Amino acid sequence: MIIVMQKGAGEREINLVIEKIKTAGLDVHLSRGEERTIIGVIGDKTRVDADEIRAVAGVEKIMHVTAAYKRASRDFHPDNTVINIGPLSLGGNKVSVIAGPCAVESRDQLLDAARNVKRLGAVALRGGAFKPRTNPYSFQGLAEKGLELLAEAREATGLPVVTELMSEKDIEMVAKYADVLQIGARNMQNFILLKDAGQTGKPILLKRGMSSTLEEFLLAAEYILAQGNSQIILCERGIRTFEDYARNTLALSVVPVIKKVSHLPIIADPSHGTGRSDLVIPMSRAAIAVGADGLIVEVHPNPEKALVDGPQSLNFEQFGELMKEIKPIAKVIGREV
Ligand code: PEP
Ligand code: MN
């Protein structure tokens, strides 16, 4: 971190800044120019509050030399973080596909979906028991009953279960049933939820907020990492743009950037990323080609009858086609599905 003082800032202001840095246990490197003084901060910058320094009269600007996120950065942890949960493996050479319905609707629906996605090559089952719906009168999920069905589907198939945690009040219940806690796009900056979920020690699938920058996304992951939990799966699920031909714009360029700046695995969600089943297979191919560690895809026994997100859900035949089409792409870049 570099602090640039205003032209003509006095000794009093410079010393005040130095004092704040030293109080945080860090060292300074002073550079006194003809016109202005520049203060370099040496040490763990997470211990200084940039806003507190910005508030000192005489401070012109603060520049970050290294990223604001620390534990999430590759500088901090050069090797990929690898997450292995039964057959699900992320961050290594394998490309893993998580699939299942948007919402758990019934026993028949879930078990049918679970058996078929497993048969076709999925290595984890997704399904929401708590659904973040825009309309309060829409189906909100089966809550604990849905979690019980997910546990039954895991028993029947051996697939680990990924399910969304929406509120810290449900944390014990959801953590009891889930193998991976999903934090949805709408909660990416629910910092209390991030901290509490991090403390469970369970792997966390963190979806990118629909209007979050890359830095905000990684700072959200930093909240979980700061709890001592490094089992984080990042997920690009599309962002809001001016476009309206698709539900969201799947920002796939974030994948190679994240692979460069962070050690955490990243997967893509072409279902929410497009909102259209006809775009799910092409965008899945693209996601694997740019280096995603996996996919999370919505699959329903009968998308036309789905209670949630039918238009973006694949049927079993389409999901089989997806699995078939991503295999050669993974192979070309030296990976396997
Ligand atoms: C979901 O995965 O069903 C979901 C609600 O996703 P998102 O939080 O990305 O909208
Ligand atoms: Mn959905």
Side-chain angles (χ1 to χ4, degrees):
M1 184 191 280
I2 292 170
I3 300 151
V4 181
M5 301 301 290
Q6 288 168 5
K7 260 191 205 171
E11 283 307 304
R12 199 193 74 84
E13 285 110 5
I14 295 170
N15 285 334
L16 198 55
V17 173
I18 294 174
E19 195 187 303
K20 280 186 187 288
I21 296 163
K22 292 207 163 160
T23 309
L26 302 173
D27 230 338
V28 296
H29 178 271
L30 262 194
S31 163
R32 290 183 187 273
E34 295 235 322
E35 290 197 326
R36 55 178 98 230
T37 297
I38 293 172
I39 304 169
V41 182
I42 303 159
D44 179 0
K45 274 72 135 193
T46 57
R47 289 157 69 176
V48 284
D49 183 346
D51 283 342
E52 211 183 287
I53 291 171
R54 203 171 278 120
V56 176
V59 171
E60 181 162 306
K61 61 179 170 185
I62 297 179
M63 294 176 330
H64 293 279
V65 181
T66 47
Y69 47 85
K70 182 179 159 76
R71 291 178 173 84
S73 78
R74 210 178 258 288
D75 293 339
F76 185 79
H77 189 290
D79 295 333
N80 281 351
T81 285
V82 178
I83 297 178
N84 288 310
I85 308 160
L88 174 66
S89 176
L90 293 157
N93 195 48
K94 207 176 153 219
V95 166
S96 282
V97 179
I98 304 165
C102 178
V104 179
E105 298 171 8
S106 68
R107 189 167 182 275
D108 284 352
Q109 172 246 19
L110 186 68
L111 289 177
D112 193 12
R115 290 197 174 104
N116 279 285
V117 297
K118 173 164 184 184
R119 171 177 65 83
L120 296 164
V123 288
L125 175 67
R126 64 146 291 148
F130 293 93
K131 294 307 304 176
R133 306 305 304 280
T134 302
N135 186 332
Y137 308 118
S138 303
F139 176 62
Q140 303 282 311
L142 297 179
E144 189 158 15
K145 178 76 200 150
L147 296 171
E148 284 167 12
L149 293 173
L150 284 163
E152 188 181 340
R154 171 178 47 217
E155 277 295 300
T157 60
L159 294 178
V161 160
V162 180
T163 196
E164 181 162 354
L165 170 70
M166 275 178 59
S167 162
E168 56 268 27
K169 77 175 167 37
D170 302 321
I171 209 154
E172 255 179 59
M173 189 210 296
V174 179
K176 189 169 105 194
Y177 295 97
D179 297 291
V180 177
L181 301 175
Q182 176 173 322
I183 304 277
R186 292 157 192 79
N187 271 320
M188 189 207 81
Q189 285 191 314
N190 182 340
F191 302 118
I192 306 282
L193 187 64
L194 293 173
K195 280 192 199 171
D196 287 358
Q199 277 172 14
T200 63
K202 287 256 169 185
I204 292 177
L205 192 156
L206 178 65
K207 292 191 135 194
R208 180 183 181 183
M210 58 190 82
S211 55
S212 296
T213 63
L214 170 72
E215 182 169 285
E216 287 163 345
F217 190 18
L218 288 173
L219 282 171
E222 191 80 12
Y223 265 90
I224 300 165
L225 286 156
Q227 302 304 314
N229 185 346
S230 63
Q231 299 284 289
I232 303 169
I233 306 157
L234 300 171
C235 177
E236 163 59 39
R237 50 77 72 204
I239 52 173
R240 278 274 171 98
T241 67
F242 51 84
E243 269 301 356
D244 58 5
Y245 70 87
R247 181 175 176 183
N248 289 293
T249 297
L250 190 63
L252 283 180
S253 56
V254 89
V255 172
V257 178
I258 288 212
K259 296 303 288 178
K260 198 182 278 180
V261 302
S262 179
H263 52 90
L264 296 171
I266 176 157
I267 64 172
D269 176 347
S271 309
H272 295 88
T274 64
R276 290 174 45 169
S277 59
D278 64 327
L279 298 181
V280 170
I281 293 179
M283 294 314 285
S284 296
R285 293 195 305 254
I288 302 308
V290 296
D293 293 299
L295 301 170
I296 181 164
V297 184
E298 288 186 340
V299 179
H300 193 283
N302 186 352
E304 285 177 2
K305 294 245 171 82
L307 296 182
V308 192
D309 286 349
Q312 68 195 33
S313 299
L314 302 184
N315 60 30
F316 300 144
E317 193 189 338
Q318 291 164 327
F319 181 63
E321 181 61 25
L322 181 153
M323 293 303 294
K324 194 176 113 206
E325 292 193 23
I326 62 170
K327 280 190 179 119
I329 294 178
K331 195 159 174 231
V332 165
I333 57 165
R335 301 182 79 166
E336 58 172 316
V337 180

